[in-house]
Amino acid sequence: MYNPYANVDFQNVIHVPSANHWHCTTKARFLAIYNAGLKHFALTNYQPSHPTYPLVGNEYFNITAEEIPEDIIPCPNSEKVNFADASMHITCPGSLAETYGHNWPAEEPKLSWRDKFYLILSQLQYEDGGGIIINHPVRSGNTPEFVIEKLLYDNRVLGLEVYNHRSHRDYGEKGYAFDKWDSILSRGYKCFGFCSPDEHSTPDGYVAGTDMRLSNYGLGRNVLLLPEMTEHEALRAYRNGSFYGAYYGDRIKFTRIEHVGDKVYFETDAAEKIDLISYSLYGKEIVENPVISVTGNSAEFTVDNTTIFVRAVAHEDADTSVFDQPITGEKLFSQPILFKTHLDIAFEKASYNKYVKINGEWRYGKLYVQEAGGFREIPTVKQL
C-alpha cells in the first residue's frame, strides 16, 4: 500500500499553496501571482525552456531582492513541450534542466521522451524531491495507458494534472482529467493528481494589487503540507504526494487524513460535504464503488480486502459541483491512499487495455485472458 500522508503531522503542518504550472515573464505578472495567494513559486516557461530561477537574475524579467515578498519559496521548474516520439507537455518542479521550447531548431534532432526525461531527472536540485508531471492530458490527448507507460519509466514521474484551469476556460473545456486519474489508480498504479492554473497572462483590465481569481483566472493549486517553509521540504512534498489539490488553495483545508486499522479518516476545518471515491477488486473485476457523500466537515471510510484505493473530495459549499463553471466554491482533492498495487491486480496471461487480435479482428480497451479455447473477455470496469 502507499499512504502519502503517513508522515504528515497535521497538528503542526504548514499549508503552502503551490502551482506546478504557471507561466511568468514580467515582474507585474509575478506580483499578480503573489496577490492570488501563491506561496511556492515553481514558475514555468518554454520560450526558451529555462527555469525562472533564481528569481533575482532570471532571464525573463528583472526583479530585485527587495521586491520579492519574504513569505514565499522560489523553486526551479523545467517545462518541456517537444518530443521526437510523443505528444505531451510536462513540468518538473525541482529540475534545473534547460532545452529549446516550441521553436526547436529544424537542424537539431528532437529528443525521445525517454532521453528527455533522463535529462530532466538528472538535473534535479534534490535527490529526494521534485519530479515530472504530465500536463493537461485531455487537451494533449493522453490516454491512461500513455500515462502509465511514463509512470513506469521512473518513480520520479509523479502523476498528471487532473485539473488545468486554462485548458478548460480557453481550449474547449479540456481541463478535467479525474476520469483518467481514477482509471490509472483503479489498476493499482501510484499516481498523484495535480491542479494547475497554467496561465500565460493576467485578465484584461487587471488592476495591480487585486486577486485575479475573482476574474476566473489563476485557479488551481497544490497545497503542500510542510513541516517548515523551505525549498527542500516543498520538493519533498511533491515527491511524496504530501499535498492536496484545490481550486483556490486558501479557503478551506484538510486538517486530518489518517489511516488507522480498517478506517481512513478525512477531516477539514470548514467543508460542508465530503465525497469518498473508491474502487475495489472482486476476483478479476475492477469495480467502481458508489460515491459515499457525507454531510459535514469530516468523513470516514472502511477498508476491506477488496479495496484498491480511496480518495476524498471536500466541498466548501455542498450545493456546488466539482464541474461547476465558473468556479465559485472551493474544492479540495486528497491524494489517493492506495491499498493494492498493479502487481496485485495483474492477471496471469492477460492483455490489459492493449490491442489483441481475435478471430482476425483487432480489439482494444478491454481485458482479454488467453485460455485453451482462445481469448475470453473480462470487463475491466463495472459500475454497481
Side-chain angles (χ1 to χ4, degrees):
M1 71 163 291
Y2 186 79
N3 177 5
Y5 305 105
N7 297 315
V8 174
D9 178 6
F10 275 92
Q11 297 299 315
N12 299 296
V13 79
I14 308 168
H15 297 247
V16 180
S18 174
N20 63 283
H21 194 182
W22 204 330
H23 300 259
C24 181
T25 55
T26 68
K27 180 171 69 176
R29 196 179 304 162
F30 169 84
L31 296 173
I33 293 171
Y34 177 74
N35 286 320
L38 204 72
K39 298 298 183 184
H40 178 249
F41 277 69
L43 300 175
T44 60
N45 285 299
Y46 48 56
Q47 211 51 34
S49 182
H50 296 176
T52 313
Y53 180 89
L55 290 174
V56 176
N58 82 79
E59 64 186 275
Y60 295 103
F61 59 90
N62 293 320
I63 192 167
T64 67
E66 292 72 27
E67 293 173 301
I68 299 172
E70 294 182 355
D71 60 342
I72 72 165
I73 305 172
C75 175
N77 192 354
S78 184
E79 178 167 8
K80 301 292 174 278
V81 296
N82 270 316
F83 301 86
D85 55 353
S87 176
M88 63 176 155
H89 285 205
I90 63 170
T91 51
C92 185
S95 177
L96 294 159
E98 298 183 356
T99 65
Y100 304 107
H102 275 301
N103 296 334
W104 196 280
E107 67 276 8
E108 184 165 338
K110 295 178 182 178
L111 297 175
S112 70
W113 72 262
R114 290 174 178 85
D115 289 334
K116 193 173 282 190
F117 276 31
Y118 178 85
L119 170 69
I120 295 165
L121 294 171
S122 70
Q123 297 186 49
L124 285 174
Q125 195 177 26
Y126 299 101
E127 183 178 340
D128 61 345
I132 289 174
I133 300 160
I134 297 172
N135 302 335
H136 46 65
V138 176
R139 179 177 146 204
S140 295
N142 302 143
T143 64
E145 293 72 34
F146 178 96
V147 177
I148 288 169
E149 179 184 44
K150 310 309 178 283
L151 293 171
L152 292 176
Y153 171 79
D154 192 290
N155 62 12
R156 295 170 294 179
V157 180
L158 305 179
L160 75 165
E161 289 178 347
V162 295
Y163 182 70
N164 180 296
H165 187 61
R166 190 170 70 96
S167 289
H168 181 87
R169 189 190 62 225
D170 298 347
Y171 285 86
E173 301 184 357
K174 295 180 178 179
Y176 295 105
F178 293 105
D179 57 343
K180 294 180 186 288
W181 191 26
D182 286 339
S183 177
I184 293 165
L185 295 173
S186 71
R187 306 177 203 185
Y189 293 97
K190 185 174 75 172
C191 180
F192 302 142
F194 300 84
C195 298
S196 84
D198 190 14
E199 299 291 7
H200 289 234
S201 63
T202 50
D204 290 341
Y206 174 75
V207 177
T210 61
D211 188 341
M212 72 175 80
R213 291 175 293 181
L214 301 176
S215 301
N216 197 31
Y217 268 67
L219 293 162
R221 298 288 184 276
N222 308 309
V223 182
L224 310 179
L225 302 170
L226 307 185
E228 56 182 346
M229 286 280 289
T230 68
E231 195 171 346
H232 190 186
E233 289 295 343
L235 290 170
R236 280 170 48 85
Y238 266 107
R239 172 70 63 81
N240 297 328
S242 303
F243 63 92
Y244 53 88
Y247 289 153
Y248 290 87
D250 56 7
R251 289 173 48 161
I252 61 174
K253 60 187 179 184
F254 278 114
T255 56
R256 182 190 184 194
I257 303 175
E258 187 177 15
H259 173 221
V260 181
D262 66 346
K263 302 290 185 183
V264 180
Y265 299 94
F266 298 94
E267 297 179 5
T268 73
D269 58 345
E272 291 187 355
K273 183 179 74 169
I274 296 177
D275 292 334
L276 302 178
I277 292 89
S278 68
Y279 278 65
S280 295
L281 180 66
Y282 294 98
K284 293 182 178 179
E285 287 191 7
I286 297 170
V287 176
E288 179 185 6
N289 296 315
V291 175
I292 300 171
S293 292
V294 180
T295 300
N297 67 353
S298 64
E300 67 178 56
F301 179 84
T302 301
V303 180
D304 61 31
N305 61 8
T306 70
T307 305
I308 300 174
F309 77 90
V310 62
R311 64 179 182 87
V313 180
H315 302 256
E316 179 185 34
D317 183 344
D319 295 326
T320 60
S321 162
V322 166
F323 303 102
D324 285 349
Q325 291 285 343
I327 294 169
T328 55
E330 174 70 296
K331 310 293 177 197
L332 307 181
F333 307 95
S334 82
Q335 297 308 308
I337 297 180
L338 198 64
F339 294 95
K340 294 186 185 297
T341 72
H342 64 280
L343 298 176
D344 299 317
I345 298 172
F347 304 130
E348 187 177 359
K349 298 180 181 177
S351 174
Y352 202 138
N353 273 20
K354 294 182 179 179
Y355 284 101
V356 176
K357 198 169 188 178
I358 303 177
N359 298 327
E361 179 183 350
W362 287 102
R363 307 279 184 88
Y364 181 74
K366 297 289 185 182
L367 175 63
Y368 298 93
V369 175
Q370 188 172 6
E371 297 178 337
F375 286 91
R376 178 169 60 88
E377 180 181 324
I378 296 177
T380 55
V381 177
K382 177 182 177 182
Q383 287 199 1
L384 292 179

